[in-house]
């Protein structure tokens, strides 16, 4: 009965369409508070942040006051929201009406203090910066203000101390992709074109993305493919397997980019740094494949390949080998020397066998055969002609072997040039990859710890 009498007494002559002050010059002070419960979604493409917050506000209603002794010592009562005056405080960044539960009651104390506590699903516009993805920190503001009443009618203040609001994570659900760092609060006055000022209370919700999932699914596979590309340089430069290996890596990286394209945030404002990282890695793979094709083309054995120019020998085979500290730079020269020794040894053996017939040269044998006595037997004449033919064939074979050995020497020289040039380009490529990795790692570390 006391609750019914009190409710009827308070609402019998209450006018909810009028600001509840006895003197119109009195300002209604509304204290507000905000507690972040969960970060529901961050839409980078549409620049929309969806949060679930616990919103609290209280003000003094001068027409909702009573003496507790008259109503069985009641000091607090709940009244329907639709039956009393409620300030028109909205969020400026609202872009859509969220699925917020409806709380139909407010608490009213005997001093006239009205407490309106309600959970709100907030869908607000926010300028999201995804350049540092996945190590990005977002700062989104929620601006509470009266849409109609200026500051002389409704003034805003903070319910709790700013330090308590800043680090309050008592109700935050921190098991999602985003973690709450802190909530900053600031009061300011806002006016448009020299009109009346409006009171604003801004809450800056600062959140940080947890990068573990993106590090495992995006960065590590890319790093592994780049390491395999570096290891591929240890294949012999004269082997065709290196080209097929590099092409396979490039194809695998292209498939990897197609798979992760849906994971990367897309905006019309800018591109995240990790997207630039993937593009540069693809470019490095293309450069590596191009370098491999050039080296394989350089060391490929061809009969019409010219000799290595002298300036190339001096630049690459003498100076570059010293600068690059190539220890086995003389192995091709040793192979060429051994081949020449084998050729000379074969030639000396053939000459020694020909000397058994008393001929130093096939022409001498021909001359000797022509100047012999006329009474020589027919068998000796036929033997001399046969020996002449054999010597001519042996001479042709020796010239062919010498020509082939010369081609082999040219191929060995180009192989040595290709080997030195391959080491030089590999180290330059390795320095570029390391510098790129250190730069990105430093930037991401600084952004993560900032």
């Amino acid at each position: 009965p006391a609750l019914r009498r009190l409710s009827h007494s308070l609402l019998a002559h209450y006018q909810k369409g009028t600001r509840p002050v006895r003197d119109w010059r009195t300002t209604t002070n509304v204290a507000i508070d905000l507690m972040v419960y969960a970060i529901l979604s961050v839409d980078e493409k549409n620049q929309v942040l969806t949060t679930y917050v616990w919103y609290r506000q209280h003000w003094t209603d001068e027409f909702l006051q009573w003496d507790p002794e008259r109503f069985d010592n009641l000091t607090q009562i709940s009244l329907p929201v639709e039956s009393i005056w409620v300030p028109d405080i909205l969020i400026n960044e609202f872009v859509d009406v969220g699925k917020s539960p409806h709380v139909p009651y407010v608490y009213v104390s005997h001093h006239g203090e009205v407490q309106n506590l309600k959970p709100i699903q907030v869908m607000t516009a926010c300028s999201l910066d995804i350049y540092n993805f996945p190590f990005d920190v977002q700062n989104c503001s929620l601006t509470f203000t009266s849409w109609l009443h200026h500051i002389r009618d409704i003034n805003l203040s903070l319910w709790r101390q700013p330090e308590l609001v800043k680090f309050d994570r008592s109700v935050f659900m921190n098991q999602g992709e985003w973690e709450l760092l802190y909530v900053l609060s600031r009061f300011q006055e806002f006016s448009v074109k020299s009109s009346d000022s409006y009171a604003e209370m801004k809450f800056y919700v600062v959140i940080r993305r947890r990068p573990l999932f993106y590090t495992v699914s995006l960065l590590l596979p890319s790093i592994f493919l780049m390491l395999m590309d570096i290891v591929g340089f240890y294949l012999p430069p004269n082997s065709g397997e290196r080209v097929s290996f590099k092409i396979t890596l490039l194809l695998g990286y292209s498939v990897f980019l197609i798979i992760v394209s849906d994971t990367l945030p897309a905006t019309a404002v800018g591109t995240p740094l990790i997207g630039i990282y993937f593009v540069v890695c693809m470019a490095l793979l293309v450069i590596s494949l191009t370098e491999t094709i050039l080296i394989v083309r350089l060391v490929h054995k061809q009969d019409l390949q010219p000799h290595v120019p002298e300036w190339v020998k001096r630049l690459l085979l003498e100076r570059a080998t010293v600068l690059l500290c190539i220890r086995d730079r003389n192995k091709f020269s040793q192979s060429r020397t051994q081949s020449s020794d084998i050729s000379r040894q074969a030639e000396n053996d053939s000459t020694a066998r020909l000397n058994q017939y008393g001929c130093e040269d096939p022409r001498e044998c021909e001359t000797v055969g022509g100047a012999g006595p006329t009474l020589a037997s027919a068998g000796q004449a036929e033997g001399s002609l046969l020996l002449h033919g054999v010597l001519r064939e042996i001479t042709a074979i020796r010239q062919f072997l010498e020509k082939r050995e010369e081609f082999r020497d040219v191929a060995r020289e180009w192989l040595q040039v290709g080997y030195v040039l391959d080491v030089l380009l590999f180290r330059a490529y390795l320095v570029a990859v390391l510098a790129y990795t250190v730069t990105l790692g430093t930037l991401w570390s600084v952004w993560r710890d900032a």
Side-chain angles (χ1 to χ4, degrees):
L3 287 174
R4 293 183 179 180
R5 288 190 298 109
L6 177 58
S7 176
H8 179 74
S9 174
L10 293 176
L11 300 179
H13 304 286
Y14 188 85
Q15 298 292 330
K16 67 177 182 178
T18 307
R19 191 165 58 90
V21 290
R22 300 186 183 278
D23 186 358
W24 65 271
R25 291 182 292 265
T26 303
T27 302
T28 301
N29 294 312
V30 180
I32 62 177
D33 188 21
L34 185 71
M35 301 173 67
V36 180
Y37 184 78
I39 306 297
L40 300 182
S41 67
V42 178
D43 189 354
E44 294 88 355
K45 183 177 181 179
N46 298 318
Q47 299 283 293
V48 174
L49 172 69
T50 304
T51 56
Y52 192 76
V53 300
W54 288 3
Y55 174 67
R56 304 189 299 173
Q57 61 181 1
H58 79 86
W59 65 94
T60 300
D61 193 323
E62 298 182 3
F63 299 113
L64 295 178
Q65 300 175 354
W66 69 90
D67 185 6
E69 296 180 357
R70 295 176 52 193
F71 299 95
D72 199 11
N73 292 324
L74 280 175
T75 59
Q76 198 173 39
I77 187 175
S78 61
L79 298 176
V81 179
E82 292 80 5
S83 301
I84 66 172
W85 178 87
V86 178
D88 59 334
I89 296 178
L90 303 176
I91 301 178
N92 289 344
E93 292 85 357
F94 258 130
V95 295
D96 194 4
V97 178
K99 300 178 181 179
S100 305
H102 176 65
V103 180
Y105 298 100
V106 295
Y107 262 127
V108 182
S109 66
H110 67 283
H111 297 295
E113 292 183 358
V114 183
Q115 297 185 13
N116 186 13
L117 291 77
K118 55 184 178 180
I120 307 176
Q121 180 178 335
V122 186
M123 299 183 65
T124 57
C126 179
S127 179
L128 300 174
D129 185 11
I130 62 170
Y131 183 75
N132 303 332
F133 175 87
F135 305 99
D136 51 335
V137 176
Q138 306 297 341
N139 186 357
C140 298
S141 62
L142 303 177
T143 305
F144 293 86
T145 183
S146 175
W147 192 255
L148 178 65
H149 298 86
H150 47 73
I151 195 171
R152 293 194 303 270
D153 292 338
I154 294 180
N155 193 13
L156 300 180
S157 62
L158 198 60
W159 191 328
R160 296 182 296 169
Q161 295 295 326
E163 292 78 11
L164 299 178
V165 176
K166 181 176 181 180
F167 299 105
D168 186 8
R169 303 186 186 91
S170 57
V171 299
F172 181 69
M173 300 292 292
N174 58 352
Q175 301 300 323
E177 179 183 355
W178 296 88
E179 61 176 328
L180 178 66
L181 295 182
Y182 44 82
V183 179
L184 300 177
S185 57
R186 187 182 67 179
F187 172 81
Q188 66 180 15
E189 294 185 13
F190 174 73
S191 61
V192 179
K193 295 182 179 180
S194 302
S195 61
D196 294 328
S197 299
Y198 297 85
E200 288 185 349
M201 182 63 68
K202 280 184 172 291
F203 292 93
Y204 297 95
V205 180
V206 183
I207 57 178
R208 178 171 59 190
R209 193 193 305 266
R210 290 186 173 94
L212 180 60
F213 170 76
Y214 299 98
T215 302
V216 173
S217 60
L218 299 182
L219 293 180
L220 289 183
S222 176
I223 293 174
F224 290 155
L225 289 176
M226 294 303 297
L227 290 178
M228 291 305 300
D229 179 64
I230 293 175
V231 173
F233 277 94
Y234 286 94
L235 290 173
N238 58 339
S239 174
E241 296 296 328
R242 184 193 283 191
V243 177
S244 59
F245 179 76
K246 300 278 186 176
I247 293 176
T248 305
L249 281 179
L250 187 60
L251 179 61
Y253 203 85
S254 301
V255 175
F256 168 73
L257 290 184
I258 294 175
I259 294 175
V260 305
S261 60
D262 296 334
T263 307
L264 297 179
T267 61
V269 180
T271 303
L273 183 61
I274 193 172
I276 302 175
Y277 162 75
F278 288 145
V279 172
V280 174
C281 288
M282 175 70 78
L284 290 176
L285 290 176
V286 172
I287 293 174
S288 174
L289 177 60
T290 305
E291 185 268 345
T292 301
I293 294 175
L294 293 177
I295 294 299
V296 172
R297 175 64 183 85
L298 185 65
V299 302
H300 188 66
K301 297 179 181 180
Q302 293 182 353
D303 294 341
L304 300 178
Q305 204 167 13
H307 285 275
V308 179
E310 292 297 329
W311 66 271
V312 176
K313 291 183 180 180
R314 289 193 301 269
L315 184 63
L316 293 179
L317 302 183
E318 296 179 4
R319 298 181 181 179
T321 52
V322 176
L323 294 177
L324 298 177
C325 300
I326 300 178
R327 299 178 181 179
D328 53 349
R329 58 181 180 271
N330 296 323
K331 63 179 183 179
F332 296 105
S333 300
Q334 295 175 358
S335 301
R336 184 170 63 250
T337 303
Q338 293 174 0
S339 300
S340 301
D341 294 341
I342 293 174
S343 177
R344 284 195 297 268
Q345 183 178 0
E347 181 180 358
N348 293 334
D349 293 342
S350 300
T351 305
R353 293 177 181 178
L354 292 176
N355 288 337
Q356 295 178 0
Y357 295 94
C359 299
E360 296 291 338
D361 190 78
R363 290 174 293 180
E364 294 181 1
C365 293
E366 183 179 359
T367 305
V368 173
T374 57
L375 297 178
S377 62
Q380 293 178 354
E382 292 178 358
S384 177
L385 293 176
L386 181 61
L387 178 62
H388 175 68
V390 171
L391 293 178
R392 185 170 53 197
E393 294 295 333
I394 292 176
T395 303
I397 292 174
R398 187 183 66 180
Q399 293 176 353
F400 172 76
L401 292 177
E402 290 178 352
K403 191 67 175 177
R404 189 176 66 176
E405 188 65 25
E406 181 181 358
F407 290 154
R408 289 181 178 178
D409 291 340
V410 172
R412 290 189 188 97
E413 290 178 356
W414 282 110
L415 182 61
Q416 187 177 9
V417 171
Y419 172 75
V420 176
L421 189 61
D422 181 67
V423 174
L424 177 62
L425 294 178
F426 166 66
R427 296 187 181 180
Y429 179 79
L430 187 61
V431 169
V433 172
L434 290 177
Y436 181 62
T437 304
V438 170
T439 302
L440 283 180
T442 303
L443 290 177
W444 279 330
S445 299
V446 170
W447 291 328
R448 185 177 181 180
D449 297 336

